[in-house]
Amino acid sequence: MPPSTTSADARRPLGGRPRDPQIDDAILTAVRDLLAEDGYARLSFETVARRAGVTRPTIYRRWPSKAHLVHQAVFPARDADVLIPDTGDFAADVRRMIGDTVASYERPEARAALPGLLTDLHQDPGLRAAVIDGLENRVRGQFRALLEAAVARGAVRAEVDPEVLFDAVLGAVFTRAVRGVTMPGAFVDALTALVVDGAAPRP
């Protein structure tokens, strides 16, 4: 039986040395800082390399495109298996999900990255699939499971479409993020009420 694979092993290029996480962190920090300062259009591997104190080949070996690099810097993948926990309280779980989404999209680097990043991904479906589809599908699946559990408890109508509900949440937050409109707690509460009340069983 072969030995188990460690996280360091998973990051090691075939036939090469393991990647230095400090270099990765320096590059991703430089990306976030440059996005907030100069925006997506002016960001390049050259500017990131200068800010991080590395060479361009160092970045190319890690990320094949600007979109890959920016997406990992701004929306890093989380190791946790459960991104949308089900506590048994549908309203509280939805509010937590909306609050987490708002917090992620309100960061200066996220607001700066979104328009240009989405343009690049829209123009290249293959790039979109490689960069974000896996994570989005994972989150959608967990939201679907959350809704199905709520249906089983009688908190949500069986005919409610989880895809439509998920898109309603993401679309509302995304629209405000792109427009640069703030999303205070009152917005989170209002959107939560729309989702929960709209999905609740009818009297």
Side-chain angles (χ1 to χ4, degrees):
M1 182 175 180
S4 60
T5 301
T6 66
S7 58
D9 293 331
R11 291 193 301 268
R12 181 178 295 124
L14 294 177
R17 294 177 299 176
R19 279 169 52 167
D20 185 342
Q22 291 185 331
I23 293 177
D24 287 9
D25 290 343
I27 293 169
L28 296 174
T29 298
V31 172
R32 290 189 286 268
D33 291 345
L34 288 167
L35 283 169
E37 294 169 15
D38 301 326
Y40 184 86
R42 295 181 62 184
L43 185 127
S44 68
F45 278 28
E46 179 64 36
T47 59
V48 172
R50 283 201 303 267
R51 177 64 64 91
V54 300
T55 65
R56 280 183 299 172
T58 298
I59 302 176
Y60 281 118
R61 283 195 295 269
R62 288 162 166 78
W63 295 277
S65 75
K66 177 177 170 178
H68 284 87
L69 174 59
V70 169
H71 190 268
Q72 184 170 344
V74 178
F75 303 109
R78 289 166 55 182
D79 292 333
D81 290 333
V82 180
L83 301 176
I84 306 177
D86 180 3
T87 67
D89 185 335
F90 181 65
D93 293 338
V94 169
R95 194 190 189 286
R96 185 180 301 106
M97 182 196 78
I98 294 174
D100 289 347
T101 306
V102 166
S104 178
Y105 277 59
E106 275 207 311
R107 292 169 297 140
E109 63 269 24
R111 289 185 182 273
L114 281 173
L117 180 60
L118 287 177
T119 297
D120 285 353
L121 295 174
H122 178 71
Q123 293 173 349
D124 188 340
L127 183 62
R128 174 189 164 82
V131 172
I132 67 172
D133 280 357
L135 177 60
E136 181 176 320
N137 291 339
R138 179 180 167 202
V139 175
R140 282 183 182 275
Q142 292 188 15
F143 183 75
R144 188 182 308 110
L146 180 73
L147 205 68
E148 290 171 352
V151 169
R153 295 193 302 269
V156 171
R157 301 192 313 279
E159 68 270 22
V160 172
D161 188 333
E163 299 296 326
V164 172
L165 213 57
F166 185 87
D167 286 342
V169 171
L170 195 60
V173 175
F174 175 78
T175 299
R176 287 210 167 195
V178 170
R179 291 170 54 211
V181 179
T182 58
M183 292 177 274
F187 168 79
V188 176
D189 291 338
L191 184 54
T192 300
L194 282 173
V195 171
V196 174
D197 294 346
R202 295 188 176 117

